[in-house]
Amino acid sequence: MSKQTYKVCFCFRRRFRLAATEAPPQIKSLFEQYSENGIMTVDHLHRFLVEVQKQEKATVEDAQAIMHNTAHIFHRKGFNLETFFKYLFGDSNPAIDPDRSVHHDMSLPLSHYFIFTGHNSYLTGNQLSSDCSDVPIIQALEKGVRVIELDIWPNSNKDDVHVLHGRTLTTPVQLIKCLTSIKNHAFVASEYPVVITLEDHLTTDLQAKVAKMVTETFGEMLFAPDTESLGEFPSPESLKRRIIISTKPPKEYLKAKEAKISGNGSQKDNDSSEAWGGEIPSYKSRSAADFKDDLEEEEEEEEEDLQDDNCAPEYRNLIAIHAGKGKGGLDDWLRVDPDKVRRLSLSEQELEKAAKTHGPQIVKFTQRNILRVYPKGIRFDSSNYNPLIGWTHGAQMVAFNMQGYGRSLWVMQGMFKANGGCGYVRKPEILMKNDPIFDPRATLSVKTTLKVTVFMGEGWYYDFSHTHFDAYSPPDFYTRVGIAGVPADTIMKRTKAIEDNWIPAWNEEFEFPLTVPELAILRIEVHEYDISEKDDFGGQACLPISELRKGIRAVPLYSQEGDKYKSVKLLMHFDFV
């Protein structure tokens, strides 16, 4: 035991005992059950892996390797309680198998996968006045993002092409710089294809210049289809280490206008100003007035007719994934052509509105075609929306502002931890069936129940200053745990707050009935309770339920920006019943 001192006023100090990390009672009980005379042998550990951790394929050799790799073993014959606890709470016992690489079938058409997708990938900050750069593009690619969006405009002399957010005060970056960075970093994190979506505001001669740039930069990496329109999308497997262009040629060059930006913007006040971002909104709770307000303020990303005669032919020939809404209304937009496939883009509120009347029709459309969803135009702060509105309707490209942060982005990052983090996650079979077609608004029967036990946490003492959470005492941590999924499955619960303790032990169990576990993400957050101010952020993690390992697991926590803390983690138990 050591002590920690906090200054309360000029002449008064408070001293608190700092307890050492100690195994919870349940862990001690398990050790007694799987050990003899205070020693857990290799055979004991093997039995523990099979019976408690539910690793049915674990071998004695696996148990031997765990013992060999766990440092500071004082008893050569096996684990004592301390080293057993060290293994359970260590990096070699994560909730998602670290050795599990790409394991989904990657030979199906692109429309069968959720794809890690960025929005305005070149922006370093907000949507109105931040710098445009290739740096956020590189950062996104290194995190596994597979779809990069570039808005391309003529420069002031109209003789070159810049990337910028049009009609705003964002400073431009040259297109060639962005293309070169994509080429150099596209396959650092994943060898599966990178799609570049171009929002094109160019004249015909500049389109020809872009075509030359793209062809010369990517060379053999570029996938250019033999025919103008594809009858079916190729597979990620067949497009490994390839670059794909997706865009819609505009009917005419639209001249940029200076943005009219008020001092405080028009964004509505909400709880997203909290230190860790606002709670993820339910896509069932939006009113008609909300949609009307959003649409009035929306900066439309217009889908244009693909058969425009003004498009440079060499530019058109590069387009592998054609985008377009068509001339009619929603029924026409969602029409499935048996002879060709395409990409449709809808804003978040366009999709929410369409989902109220055309849910199964949207799901049907996404079985062959690609649906891209993008943030509404008034998200000036580069915030994001609930990604489940897209995923539950089969949308492959749920485009996010990767330069922002908050709960929605944490869920996005959690989804794409699946399938080896390659940026492609196969859509569940429920979204691909035709009899019946999945109705996202229907409430189904419970398929399974996830049981989660939150034992304890540690690491804040090492990663934060001792007055970071509270200037006068050690922190009062509590954990929030819950599900992001279809509306029937979505819920958050919380533990009690443990007062004045850097190593909180909650030992609380929660149950989560799941109707569509294939689309569920486990959400975990730690906060420090503050009676007088907003609670402080203490870490978060989001994990795909489909890859969650049963048993007692160490769960490392991440910062608001999605960076892994060096020491902070929770000890938890997972089971499905």
Side-chain angles (χ1 to χ4, degrees), residues 341-400:
V341 291
R342 60 191 168 94
R343 191 198 89 202
L344 171 67
S345 283
L346 297 175
S347 68
E348 58 176 285
Q349 73 269 33
E350 280 181 317
L351 178 58
E352 287 179 1
K353 190 174 181 181
K356 291 180 179 295
T357 55
H358 290 69
Q361 198 172 336
I362 299 169
V363 173
K364 177 72 173 176
F365 176 84
T366 60
Q367 291 178 349
R368 266 180 51 80
N369 300 281
I370 288 177
L371 175 60
R372 172 180 169 268
V373 187
Y374 60 91
K376 59 188 177 184
I378 62 169
R379 291 190 180 274
F380 302 139
D381 59 352
S382 294
S383 61
N384 289 296
Y385 51 99
N386 185 348
L388 271 302
I389 178 63
W391 294 333
T392 55
H393 288 84
Q396 296 85 354
M397 297 181 179
V398 178
F400 261 39

Side-chain angles (χ1 to χ4, degrees), residues 267-274 278 376 379 381 383 534:
Q267 193 167 16
K268 299 167 189 174
D269 291 334
N270 55 40
D271 62 356
S272 64
S273 62
E274 294 177 8
K376 59 188 177 184
R379 291 190 180 274
D381 59 352
S383 61
K534 288 180 179 177

Side-chain angles (χ1 to χ4, degrees), residues 312-555:
E314 58 267 57
Y315 182 79
R316 184 187 297 279
N317 291 340
L318 294 179
I319 304 171
I321 301 177
H322 284 253
K325 269 182 181 169
K327 298 288 187 182
L330 191 56
D331 287 315
D332 188 53
W333 297 353
L334 297 172
R335 180 177 47 83
V336 176
D337 190 327
D339 298 319
K340 61 182 180 181
V341 291
R342 60 191 168 94
R343 191 198 89 202
L344 171 67
S345 283
L346 297 175
S347 68
E348 58 176 285
Q349 73 269 33
E350 280 181 317
L351 178 58
E352 287 179 1
K353 190 174 181 181
K356 291 180 179 295
T357 55
H358 290 69
Q361 198 172 336
I362 299 169
V363 173
K364 177 72 173 176
F365 176 84
T366 60
Q367 291 178 349
R368 266 180 51 80
N369 300 281
I370 288 177
L371 175 60
R372 172 180 169 268
V373 187
Y374 60 91
K376 59 188 177 184
I378 62 169
R379 291 190 180 274
F380 302 139
D381 59 352
S382 294
S383 61
N384 289 296
Y385 51 99
N386 185 348
L388 271 302
I389 178 63
W391 294 333
T392 55
H393 288 84
Q396 296 85 354
M397 297 181 179
V398 178
F400 261 39
N401 294 307
M402 299 296 169
Q403 70 275 31
Y405 61 85
R407 290 182 168 116
S408 295
L409 185 55
W410 303 340
V411 170
M412 172 70 68
Q413 292 164 341
M415 165 65 87
F416 288 100
K417 285 185 173 79
N419 200 27
C422 75
Y424 286 81
V425 174
R426 185 179 172 186
K427 296 199 297 189
E429 192 61 34
I430 193 171
L431 290 172
M432 304 306 295
K433 290 192 303 184
N434 284 310
D435 188 22
I437 295 176
F438 177 63
D439 183 355
R441 295 175 66 83
T443 299
L444 305 178
S445 57
V446 173
K447 277 189 180 179
T448 187
T449 296
L450 172 64
K451 293 178 70 174
V452 177
T453 302
V454 185
F455 290 122
M456 61 180 295
E458 70 166 8
W460 294 279
Y461 181 80
Y462 302 105
D463 291 354
F464 296 88
S465 70
H466 84 287
T467 56
H468 176 87
F469 296 104
D470 194 322
Y472 306 112
S473 66
D476 309 326
F477 288 124
Y478 65 90
T479 295
R480 299 179 76 227
V481 59
I483 302 294
V486 298
D489 296 347
T490 300
I491 192 171
M492 288 297 287
K493 301 180 181 181
R494 59 161 286 179
T495 67
K496 59 184 179 293
I498 304 297
E499 293 185 0
D500 301 335
N501 202 321
W502 284 99
I503 308 172
W506 297 283
N507 297 310
E508 293 189 40
E509 183 180 288
F510 304 94
E511 291 192 2
F512 301 100
L514 301 174
T515 62
V516 188
E518 305 95 325
L519 290 172
I521 307 292
L522 178 67
R523 294 176 53 199
I524 302 162
E525 299 176 10
V526 174
H527 302 290
E528 198 272 337
Y529 176 72
D530 194 323
I531 193 170
S532 59
E533 299 178 5
K534 288 180 179 177
D535 294 352
D536 294 314
F537 175 82
Q540 58 84 20
C542 287
L543 303 169
I545 297 290
S546 61
E547 303 211 0
L548 200 60
R549 295 204 293 175
K550 297 179 182 179
I552 300 166
R553 304 294 174 186
V555 179

